[in-house]
Amino acid sequence: MNFIVFLWSICTVVQTYLGFGTAYRLTKAGGDNGVSLFGWMIVTNLVAMVPGLGIWMWFKYRDGTNHSDKLPRTIMQDEPNSNGGIPKDFM
C-alpha cells in the first residue's frame, strides 16, 4: 500500500508541475489576466490529483491554443479594410 501511495504522490507532483504551464497557456489563450490565471491554476491543481488526467490535459493544450481555430472565420478577421474594420454593409 505504501508503494501505491508513493507512486500516486510522484504522479501528482509531476502533473502539478505540468499544470503550471498548462494554466499559463490557457490564460494566454483566454482572459489573459491574473484572475484567469488563478482560476486555471486551481483547475489544473485539482486535475493533477487524478493520475493521468493532468498529463492528458497538458498534451491537449501544449500547442498554446484552446483549439478555437476550428470555428468559422468572419470576413472582418480575414480582410481588414481601411475604414477601421467596419464592413461596407453598415456604412
Side-chain angles (χ1 to χ4, degrees):
M1 185 68 176
N2 252 351
F3 185 68
I4 293 173
V5 172
F6 175 73
L7 286 178
W8 180 73
S9 63
I10 294 291
C11 186
T12 301
V13 168
V14 168
Q15 290 186 139
T16 301
Y17 179 74
L18 294 175
F20 293 140
T22 304
Y24 178 76
R25 285 189 296 272
L26 288 169
T27 302
K28 282 297 188 183
D32 201 15
N33 58 34
V35 176
S36 178
L37 179 62
F38 183 74
W40 279 116
M41 286 186 69
I42 289 174
V43 168
T44 56
N45 283 330
L46 289 174
V47 165
M49 298 296 173
V50 180
L53 188 58
I55 294 171
W56 174 82
M57 193 171 181
W58 181 77
F59 274 116
K60 183 177 179 183
Y61 295 109
R62 72 180 170 174
D63 58 352
T65 64
N66 58 0
H67 302 290
S68 63
D69 57 338
K70 295 177 183 171
L71 298 175
R73 297 177 69 180
T74 64
I75 294 172
M76 290 176 60
Q77 290 173 337
D78 288 339
E79 302 170 6
N81 51 23
S82 62
N83 59 358
I86 301 171
K88 293 180 181 178
D89 299 342
F90 295 121
M91 296 183 83

